[in-house]
Amino acid sequence: VAGTFVWYPQPLGLETEWTFGRGPQFSENTRTIGLESLQGGYVQGHYREQGRFGTWFPFSRWNYYDGARKFARNAPRSKVNEIDFGLEFSKWTEVEITAMFTHTFTRTRTGSFPYGQSTSGNRVGMQVQWNY
């Protein structure tokens, strides 16, 4: 089951998506893949400010997931709990520039076995997007 809610920024906005149910997951005894519970999603708040130099979208988002990564090899159980703070700027409708800071409280490292937990990590990202 999944649900989505979007309140477009006028000038404040809210967006959320959440899913819960059961999916394939690598067993704790590391011998089988069975059906286990999963749940997670995100909640994002944003603001739109249109000025003479362009449009600004500051935002904050909380991401949470507890369940298997069904597209990863063996569908290992994964936990993610992190928060993002960012700013998007658009001078023209065709070009968007985004900068974002992410603080990770907990994230399961599923790149190699045995799967461990990472805690208290930070990431800075930037993106330029051209829409045509």
Side-chain angles (χ1 to χ4, degrees), residues 37-113:
S37 66
L38 60 86
Q39 66 131 343
Y42 70 93
V43 178
Q44 175 174 299
H46 38 218
Y47 181 80
R48 181 181 66 181
E49 176 65 37
Q50 292 179 307
R52 68 181 238 215
F53 296 110
T55 304
W56 299 86
F57 286 97
F59 64 89
S60 180
R61 177 176 49 224
W62 173 57
N63 301 294
Y64 178 83
Y65 182 74
D66 185 6
R69 291 187 57 214
K70 69 180 183 177
F71 297 111
R73 183 180 321 157
N74 293 327
R77 184 166 193 86
S78 177
K79 290 185 180 182
V80 176
N81 186 7
E82 58 191 14
I83 190 164
D84 305 319
F85 299 98
L87 178 64
E88 180 181 307
F89 172 73
S90 180
K91 172 73 173 159
W92 309 280
T93 56
E94 298 83 15
V95 179
E96 299 170 359
I97 300 170
T98 305
M100 185 170 68
F101 170 78
T102 302
H103 176 73
T104 300
F105 301 103
T106 304
R107 177 178 279 273
T108 304
R109 295 186 312 271
T110 59
S112 62
F113 187 80

